[in-house]
Amino acid sequence: MIQIKFKNLERSELAQEFALRKVRALIEKFEELEHSRIDVTLEMENSPLQAGPDLFKAKFHVKTGRFKGLFIAKADPNLYRAIA
């Protein structure tokens, strides 16, 4: 089961579908993930105290199964590069 969460970011069908495609590609490579619970969090960090660009983060967390506890996070000024 794959769950996509948005944090400090408006829900976007395009971003959600892009993240699902990336997770499904991982599942094709690592079939043990097929029956795992996977949470993907897409978030935006923006400091109200400092001017500057937004920072997008994509976090991948496997909650159950053989790879339980696996956590990967990536940040980038572009949301889609953070997901990739």
Side-chain angles (χ1 to χ4, degrees):
M1 180 175 125
I2 303 168
Q3 184 176 11
I4 308 288
K5 300 176 186 177
F6 288 84
K7 183 177 175 184
N8 299 328
L9 186 65
E10 286 187 37
R11 181 169 291 280
S12 163
E13 290 296 320
L14 184 61
Q16 183 172 344
E17 187 59 37
F18 188 72
L20 281 172
R21 273 189 276 148
K22 291 296 184 179
V23 172
R24 287 183 187 131
L26 280 174
I27 291 172
E28 285 180 19
K29 291 180 183 177
F30 302 98
E31 293 177 4
E32 295 89 358
L33 288 171
E34 182 70 38
H35 303 291
S36 297
R37 179 170 174 228
I38 301 169
D39 288 349
V40 178
T41 305
L42 306 176
E43 68 178 283
M44 179 180 68
E45 245 182 47
N46 188 351
S47 173
L49 302 176
Q50 293 181 333
D54 296 332
L55 183 65
F56 295 97
K57 291 183 178 180
K59 298 177 181 178
F60 173 88
H61 187 204
V62 179
K63 299 274 188 166
T64 63
R66 178 177 179 209
F67 296 105
K68 179 181 178 180
L70 179 69
F71 182 81
I72 302 169
K74 186 174 175 190
D76 196 275
N78 182 299
L79 175 63
Y80 297 97
R81 283 194 301 222
I83 294 170

